[in-house]
mmCIF file of all heavy atoms in Angstrom:
data_model
loop_
_atom_site.group_PDB
_atom_site.id
_atom_site.type_symbol
_atom_site.label_atom_id
_atom_site.label_comp_id
_atom_site.label_asym_id
_atom_site.label_seq_id
_atom_site.Cartn_x
_atom_site.Cartn_y
_atom_site.Cartn_z
ATOM 1 N N HIS A 349 0.241 14.545 0.075
ATOM 2 C CA HIS A 349 0.082 15.957 -0.315
ATOM 3 C C HIS A 349 -0.052 16.083 -1.824
ATOM 4 O O HIS A 349 0.927 15.947 -2.551
ATOM 5 C CB HIS A 349 1.271 16.788 0.187
ATOM 6 C CG HIS A 349 1.052 18.257 0.011
ATOM 7 N ND1 HIS A 349 0.593 19.063 1.027
ATOM 8 C CD2 HIS A 349 1.180 19.056 -1.061
ATOM 9 C CE1 HIS A 349 0.458 20.298 0.574
ATOM 10 N NE2 HIS A 349 0.813 20.328 -0.699
ATOM 11 N N SER A 350 -1.271 16.327 -2.280
ATOM 12 C CA SER A 350 -1.505 16.473 -3.716
ATOM 13 C C SER A 350 -2.522 17.583 -3.941
ATOM 14 O O SER A 350 -3.223 17.997 -3.015
ATOM 15 C CB SER A 350 -2.048 15.168 -4.283
ATOM 16 O OG SER A 350 -3.372 14.977 -3.810
ATOM 17 N N HIS A 351 -2.572 18.043 -5.182
ATOM 18 C CA HIS A 351 -3.549 19.075 -5.563
ATOM 19 C C HIS A 351 -4.335 18.594 -6.778
ATOM 20 O O HIS A 351 -4.202 19.132 -7.873
ATOM 21 C CB HIS A 351 -2.839 20.401 -5.853
ATOM 22 C CG HIS A 351 -2.161 20.976 -4.656
ATOM 23 N ND1 HIS A 351 -2.861 21.575 -3.637
ATOM 24 C CD2 HIS A 351 -0.860 21.003 -4.291
ATOM 25 C CE1 HIS A 351 -2.017 21.964 -2.695
ATOM 26 N NE2 HIS A 351 -0.791 21.623 -3.062
ATOM 27 N N ASN A 379 -4.998 18.345 -0.781
ATOM 28 C CA ASN A 379 -4.903 19.519 0.092
ATOM 29 C C ASN A 379 -5.582 20.734 -0.516
ATOM 30 O O ASN A 379 -5.393 21.032 -1.697
ATOM 31 C CB ASN A 379 -3.427 19.860 0.345
ATOM 32 C CG ASN A 379 -2.761 18.910 1.305
ATOM 33 O OD1 ASN A 379 -2.228 19.312 2.328
ATOM 34 N ND2 ASN A 379 -2.783 17.615 0.986
ATOM 35 N N GLY A 380 -6.310 21.462 0.315
ATOM 36 C CA GLY A 380 -6.989 22.669 -0.133
ATOM 37 C C GLY A 380 -6.144 23.911 0.079
ATOM 38 O O GLY A 380 -5.226 23.931 0.912
ATOM 39 N N LEU A 381 -6.467 24.950 -0.679
ATOM 40 C CA LEU A 381 -5.704 26.200 -0.654
ATOM 41 C C LEU A 381 -6.558 27.394 -0.249
ATOM 42 O O LEU A 381 -6.060 28.365 0.308
ATOM 43 C CB LEU A 381 -5.116 26.482 -2.035
ATOM 44 C CG LEU A 381 -4.274 25.366 -2.651
ATOM 45 C CD1 LEU A 381 -4.019 25.643 -4.124
ATOM 46 C CD2 LEU A 381 -2.962 25.230 -1.898
ATOM 47 N N TYR A 406 -3.766 28.284 2.068
ATOM 48 C CA TYR A 406 -2.364 28.451 1.692
ATOM 49 C C TYR A 406 -1.879 29.803 2.225
ATOM 50 O O TYR A 406 -2.624 30.781 2.200
ATOM 51 C CB TYR A 406 -2.296 28.395 0.161
ATOM 52 C CG TYR A 406 -0.940 28.254 -0.438
ATOM 53 C CD1 TYR A 406 -0.197 27.091 -0.250
ATOM 54 C CD2 TYR A 406 -0.401 29.266 -1.229
ATOM 55 C CE1 TYR A 406 1.047 26.945 -0.832
ATOM 56 C CE2 TYR A 406 0.839 29.128 -1.822
ATOM 57 C CZ TYR A 406 1.566 27.971 -1.621
ATOM 58 O OH TYR A 406 2.800 27.829 -2.198
ATOM 59 N N GLU A 448 -3.402 22.685 2.989
ATOM 60 C CA GLU A 448 -2.163 23.040 3.583
ATOM 61 C C GLU A 448 -2.260 24.387 4.260
ATOM 62 O O GLU A 448 -3.147 25.190 3.959
ATOM 63 C CB GLU A 448 -1.025 22.989 2.561
ATOM 64 C CG GLU A 448 -1.077 23.995 1.419
ATOM 65 C CD GLU A 448 0.047 23.693 0.421
ATOM 66 O OE1 GLU A 448 1.213 24.041 0.699
ATOM 67 O OE2 GLU A 448 -0.252 23.108 -0.617
ATOM 68 N N HIS A 485 3.026 23.929 4.934
ATOM 69 C CA HIS A 485 3.864 24.548 3.914
ATOM 70 C C HIS A 485 4.702 25.603 4.613
ATOM 71 O O HIS A 485 4.166 26.461 5.304
ATOM 72 C CB HIS A 485 2.986 25.222 2.849
ATOM 73 C CG HIS A 485 3.727 26.198 1.969
ATOM 74 N ND1 HIS A 485 4.053 25.919 0.668
ATOM 75 C CD2 HIS A 485 4.218 27.440 2.223
ATOM 76 C CE1 HIS A 485 4.705 26.955 0.144
ATOM 77 N NE2 HIS A 485 4.814 27.891 1.064
ATOM 78 N N HIS A 508 5.443 19.403 4.589
ATOM 79 C CA HIS A 508 5.384 18.971 3.195
ATOM 80 C C HIS A 508 6.498 19.673 2.417
ATOM 81 O O HIS A 508 6.733 20.867 2.616
ATOM 82 C CB HIS A 508 3.976 19.268 2.652
ATOM 83 C CG HIS A 508 3.935 20.183 1.496
ATOM 84 N ND1 HIS A 508 4.258 19.775 0.227
ATOM 85 C CD2 HIS A 508 3.615 21.491 1.392
ATOM 86 C CE1 HIS A 508 4.125 20.796 -0.598
ATOM 87 N NE2 HIS A 508 3.745 21.838 0.081
ATOM 88 N N CYS A 509 7.189 18.920 1.576
ATOM 89 C CA CYS A 509 8.187 19.483 0.667
ATOM 90 C C CYS A 509 9.108 20.463 1.388
ATOM 91 O O CYS A 509 9.280 21.599 0.970
ATOM 92 C CB CYS A 509 7.473 20.190 -0.483
ATOM 93 S SG CYS A 509 8.579 20.674 -1.784
ATOM 94 N N GLU A 555 4.911 12.037 -0.704
ATOM 95 C CA GLU A 555 3.941 12.976 -1.265
ATOM 96 C C GLU A 555 4.331 13.270 -2.704
ATOM 97 O O GLU A 555 5.406 12.855 -3.166
ATOM 98 C CB GLU A 555 3.959 14.286 -0.466
ATOM 99 C CG GLU A 555 5.272 15.054 -0.624
ATOM 100 C CD GLU A 555 5.124 16.547 -0.337
ATOM 101 O OE1 GLU A 555 4.810 17.316 -1.276
ATOM 102 O OE2 GLU A 555 5.351 16.932 0.812
ATOM 103 N N ASP A 557 2.867 16.664 -4.196
ATOM 104 C CA ASP A 557 2.567 18.072 -4.478
ATOM 105 C C ASP A 557 2.108 18.233 -5.936
ATOM 106 O O ASP A 557 2.229 19.300 -6.518
ATOM 107 C CB ASP A 557 3.771 18.982 -4.198
ATOM 108 C CG ASP A 557 3.362 20.439 -3.944
ATOM 109 O OD1 ASP A 557 2.189 20.670 -3.582
ATOM 110 O OD2 ASP A 557 4.196 21.333 -4.126
ATOM 111 N N CYS A 558 1.601 17.146 -6.518
ATOM 112 C CA CYS A 558 1.204 17.195 -7.923
ATOM 113 C C CYS A 558 0.097 18.223 -8.140
ATOM 114 O O CYS A 558 -0.705 18.429 -7.228
ATOM 115 C CB CYS A 558 0.769 15.810 -8.406
ATOM 116 S SG CYS A 558 -0.736 15.187 -7.630
ATOM 117 N N TYR A 560 2.725 19.740 -9.390
ATOM 118 C CA TYR A 560 4.085 20.290 -9.346
ATOM 119 C C TYR A 560 5.097 19.193 -9.008
ATOM 120 O O TYR A 560 4.742 18.094 -8.607
ATOM 121 C CB TYR A 560 4.171 21.406 -8.290
ATOM 122 C CG TYR A 560 3.028 22.394 -8.393
ATOM 123 C CD1 TYR A 560 2.010 22.402 -7.446
ATOM 124 C CD2 TYR A 560 2.943 23.288 -9.459
ATOM 125 C CE1 TYR A 560 0.941 23.292 -7.539
ATOM 126 C CE2 TYR A 560 1.878 24.184 -9.567
ATOM 127 C CZ TYR A 560 0.882 24.173 -8.607
ATOM 128 O OH TYR A 560 -0.182 25.037 -8.693
HETATM 129 ZN ZN1 ZN B 663 0.916 22.012 -1.991
#
Side-chain angles (χ1 to χ4, degrees):
H349 189 97
S350 70
H351 296 285
N379 285 237
L381 306 167
Y406 193 66
E448 66 186 282
H485 164 106
H508 120 77
C509 190
E555 67 157 271
D557 203 22
C558 66
Y560 313 107

